Amino acid sequence: APLFFAATGLRVNLANLLRPEVAVLTIAFLLVASLFKISGCIAGGLTGGLTLKESFTVGIGANAFGAVGIIVGVIGRQLGFLSEELFTIVVTMSLLSTAITPQLLKRAFAALRTDTISGGNESACSTPDPRYSWLSGVKRILLPRVDDKHLEQLAFLLKAIGTFTHAEVTVL
């Protein structure tokens, strides 16, 4: 896999991004694709019983186009569907979305934690209908031992999972 991505990177002509029309199209495609992906996650999350903030957070997490975008770009380029400029746009869009997702996700989770601590109307662990969750079938959870730095995130995760199941938890 690393060789594939390295070879793909060598095929991208970054000089195309210096042309204003390509740079604008890259930003426009990234914004439109992100908007639709996040909107779809919000719709699905709300339908599944998540709050708006929780659904938005799921959308942010799903927004990284990453490897899939690069693979689609390579196949499209090899089949002649994408010009050199569009290939550059697709690969750049994939890299940018993957690069910004962790920071956006960190902020989205911080907003969820703040809302939960302050006792806002929306809870980071609202109670969706457990009949529609794949977590309701979970019987055992295996967790790696964590340091104090990650204990709060682990407690948050266990609280969310505990909403759906009374699974046995084993810390490795």
Side-chain angles (χ1 to χ4, degrees), residues 22 24 43 45 62 78 83 86 95 119 138 144 163:
V22 174
V24 168
Q78 287 176 346
S83 66
L86 279 175
L95 293 174
V138 172
T163 302

Side-chain angles (χ1 to χ4, degrees), residues 74-138:
V74 167
I75 293 170
R77 182 75 175 129
Q78 287 176 346
L79 294 175
F81 295 135
L82 296 179
S83 66
E84 182 180 295
E85 291 82 7
L86 279 175
F87 177 67
T88 301
I89 289 170
V90 169
V91 172
T92 303
M93 191 175 95
S94 295
L95 293 174
L96 286 176
S97 69
T98 302
I100 63 174
T101 294
Q103 286 303 317
L104 294 175
L105 202 52
K106 185 177 179 181
R107 290 179 187 198
F109 272 121
L112 283 177
R113 263 196 308 276
T114 301
D115 197 42
T116 302
I117 293 168
S118 67
N121 292 334
E122 294 184 37
S123 165
C125 294
S126 64
T127 310
D129 191 339
R131 294 175 296 171
Y132 301 110
S133 172
W134 63 271
L135 288 172
S136 62
V138 172

Side-chain angles (χ1 to χ4, degrees), residues 35-55:
L35 176 71
F36 278 99
K37 194 171 235 188
I38 293 170
S39 298
C41 288
I42 289 173
L46 293 174
T47 302
L50 297 177
T51 65
L52 180 61
K53 284 185 179 181
E54 291 166 345
S55 301

